[in-house]
Amino acid sequence: MTHTERLLASAALPVDLDEAAHRCLVAGFEGTTVVPDTLKRLVDRGLGGVILFTRNIRDAEQVRRLTDTLRALRPDLLVGIDNEGGGIGHLVGAGAPEVPGSFALGVADDPALTARCADALAGHLATLGITASYAPVADVQRHPDNPIVRTRSFGTDAELVSRHLRAWIAATEARGIASCAKHFPGHGGTVTDSHHELAVDPRPYEELDLAPFRAAVDAGVPMLMSAHVVFPALDANRPATLSRRILRDLLRHELGFDGVLVSDALEMKAIADRYGEAAGARIALAAGADQVIVAVPDLEVTLSCREAVLDALRCDVLTEERVAEAAERVRRLAERYATPAAEVGEWDAGAGLEAARRAVRGQGRGPAAVRGAHVVDLFPPPHPALNWGGEDLLCELRAVDPTATGTTVTGEAADPASFVDGILRLAEGTPLIVATCDAGLYPWQRHLRDALLAARPDAVRVATGLPDGGALCSYGRGRVNLRATAEALTGA
């Protein structure tokens, strides 16, 4: 018997309690057509949900076959995916509607337009048989050096974020898709990405951005996701995901949330490096989480988390009442959302580009039309935990101006001076566009930009992240963000 088989055979709890414990798990896996045997056994034991990623996506027909296969194993299995829009979306290969990131929607500041974009995303999910969306982001982009929220947020003002959350949640709910506001109680005040290390928000209680989460709860959001962030004003010892004070005292008692509280992925280093995924699963559930996500496709990690939970139940470290409470919330969620709608109506496929155009023009009057330009598109390499569909400004610029040329750069040049000289030669006699993405976080971008502007003060500046001085700003790097920017540059 293999190690995996021994683990799968190790349950010695009553069947109903064993099933309840499994309902508290959400697993990632490898594959586009075949469900791994280990995952099948977990589903048979009561696994609460699976989370899909780009690795599971080939095309729309394949995704629907995969979700049908998963539900044939267990009809109440929740099938979810991160589906924020913008440059973060795993369904590009399945024909996902193109919508800008949330910040651009906040700049346009038309909740009805936000609802149309959210409706398009939710409608598309429904056609694929995916009924849980780990979106929208409820974080307020509060700290200028925050490395992970930024244009994923609706903005820097809590009330603006709140009204767009309400619009997104209502539109998603109308499609029969479960939305999930994240990352409670907020990740926008940190200077650390919790994918890489434990993050801390040092602000006092009265300055924390709880208002959007209150708005989400009041709007009836069925799920919230916790943040792997320490808030000394709330609990100096543990990140929110593992904190009873934050998950039970604040969220359940003060905010009155009775939906499913799901953890952010346990393999993120904020949890994995300090506690380990297995201990993280046990502590999170004891603290008040209802489900924990293990997003990595290595099912051995999911099994280790499962065993930690079962062992904690056997030893009374984790109470039966707590697991039963969590499992009942998941059961109610599945009752509402596990079955896809029989019919899916149309959605507004043009809403995303409309929003992106309004966001770019929201920065103010753009430059005079630029044709035949050479564009230098500087942006960081894609985040390893977030999808990137290959978008760049040059491709979108050439779609509206075939005479455009350019260079894309995703990291520091080996010889910056030679690189700048080469760009200047290529752009000699033509307009030059210099685009950066959050250059304040990446010195190599600033250095290249400043060197190019010193030699070409006539160059047009573009920011494809948050605003950067007087540059024309797209407020995101989704394909429609970049297309709208290209149109603004060329007058198309």
Side-chain angles (χ1 to χ4, degrees):
M1 184 180 289
T2 66
H3 175 63
T4 297
E5 296 292 344
R6 284 195 299 273
L7 286 173
L8 285 168
S10 65
L13 296 169
V15 172
D16 58 343
L17 184 57
D18 182 80
E19 180 175 326
H22 282 78
R23 278 190 182 272
C24 298
L25 300 173
V26 177
F29 65 99
E30 194 77 59
T32 57
T33 56
V34 177
V35 178
D37 288 342
T38 299
L39 184 63
K40 288 180 181 178
R41 296 188 183 99
L42 284 166
V43 172
D44 187 59
R45 293 270 288 271
L47 183 72
V50 295
I51 181 169
L52 304 182
F53 284 88
T54 308
R55 61 178 176 253
N56 305 115
I57 310 302
R58 193 171 64 227
D59 55 55
E61 184 178 349
Q62 165 266 320
V63 176
R64 186 61 199 233
R65 286 198 302 268
L66 179 60
T67 60
D68 286 346
T69 299
L70 288 164
R71 263 189 206 90
L73 298 173
R74 189 179 183 96
D76 62 352
L77 181 71
L78 288 160
V79 181
I81 196 166
D82 284 323
N83 201 43
E84 299 173 23
I88 300 168
H90 301 279
L91 293 168
V92 173
E98 294 183 357
V99 304
S102 293
F103 210 106
L105 295 175
V107 171
D109 199 13
D110 180 349
L113 183 55
T114 292
R116 286 161 56 198
C117 290
D119 174 71
L121 292 175
H124 181 247
L125 289 184
T127 66
L128 301 176
I130 300 171
T131 59
S133 173
Y134 294 113
V137 169
D139 306 322
V140 179
Q141 170 50 35
R142 189 62 72 185
H143 199 293
D145 293 332
N146 182 285
I148 187 61
V149 174
R150 308 192 72 78
T151 58
R152 297 169 68 194
S153 169
F154 287 108
T156 60
D157 175 76
E159 175 50 39
L160 179 146
V161 171
S162 296
R163 62 175 171 266
H164 287 276
L165 279 174
R166 288 189 287 264
W168 185 294
I169 291 165
T172 305
E173 178 67 24
R175 287 283 185 177
I177 304 297
S179 57
C180 179
K182 60 187 184 184
H183 308 79
F184 181 79
H187 206 327
T190 73
V191 295
T192 304
D193 178 356
S194 57
H195 290 89
H196 302 313
E197 59 182 300
L198 190 64
V200 178
D201 187 333
R203 292 178 294 170
Y205 175 82
E206 59 272 13
E207 293 181 14
L208 298 179
D209 293 303
L210 298 177
F213 294 98
R214 294 182 191 273
V217 172
D218 291 344
V221 71
M223 291 191 290
L224 287 179
M225 180 182 289
S226 64
H228 300 332
V229 177
V230 172
F231 296 84
L234 301 172
D235 186 337
N237 299 315
R238 284 186 169 172
T241 296
L242 309 182
S243 170
R244 180 183 295 268
R245 294 179 187 174
I246 294 174
L247 301 189
R248 295 188 71 83
D249 296 349
L250 177 59
L251 181 59
R252 298 297 189 193
H253 298 153
E254 185 177 330
L255 272 64
F257 179 64
D258 193 39
V260 168
L261 175 61
V262 61
S263 78
D264 209 342
L266 294 179
E267 70 273 9
M268 292 166 61
K269 291 185 181 300
I271 300 297
D273 282 2
R274 290 178 178 249
Y275 302 92
E277 295 94 334
R282 171 180 57 79
I283 299 170
L285 291 175
D290 301 309
Q291 286 190 312
V292 292
I293 294 178
V294 185
V296 290
D298 182 359
L299 289 167
E300 291 290 337
V301 180
T302 302
L303 290 175
S304 69
C305 292
R306 189 275 305 273
E307 284 305 302
V309 172
L310 296 180
D311 286 344
L313 282 167
R314 295 185 189 105
C315 301
D316 292 326
V317 173
L318 182 61
T319 68
E320 294 184 18
E321 291 78 12
R322 170 77 272 274
V323 171
E325 173 192 50
E328 175 58 19
R329 288 199 183 101
V330 176
R331 186 198 65 76
R332 294 199 305 260
L333 185 75
E335 189 173 57
R336 286 176 61 188
Y337 298 104
T339 303
E343 295 184 8
V344 181
E346 295 182 353
W347 55 82
D348 185 351
L353 184 55
E354 178 185 340
R357 286 169 172 163
R358 288 171 62 177
V360 171
R361 285 157 178 78
Q363 174 71 2
R365 188 169 183 268
V370 178
R371 291 275 174 167
H374 187 90
V375 60
V376 182
D377 190 10
L378 309 173
F379 57 97
H383 193 289
L386 307 174
N387 183 53
W388 175 65
E391 304 87 2
D392 62 66
L393 183 57
L394 174 59
C395 289
E396 299 307 318
L397 196 63
R398 295 192 68 178
V400 295
D401 176 15
T403 65
T405 59
T407 308
T408 60
V409 186
T410 61
E412 188 166 5
D415 186 345
S418 296
F419 173 83
V420 169
D421 289 343
I423 293 296
L424 294 174
R425 285 195 299 271
L426 290 171
E428 188 173 357
T430 66
L432 177 63
I433 299 169
V434 180
T436 56
C437 180
D438 294 329
L441 299 181
Y442 302 97
W444 65 266
Q445 287 191 48
R446 296 198 305 273
H447 297 155
L448 291 178
R449 177 199 64 195
D450 293 348
L452 289 167
L453 292 176
R456 287 287 302 267
D458 62 318
V460 176
R461 289 181 56 204
V462 173
T464 61
L466 293 178
D468 183 8
L472 185 74
C473 189
S474 67
Y475 295 95
R477 288 195 63 88
R479 190 179 302 278
V480 285
N481 295 109
L482 299 177
R483 172 60 66 91
T485 303
E487 291 175 349
L489 289 166
T490 61

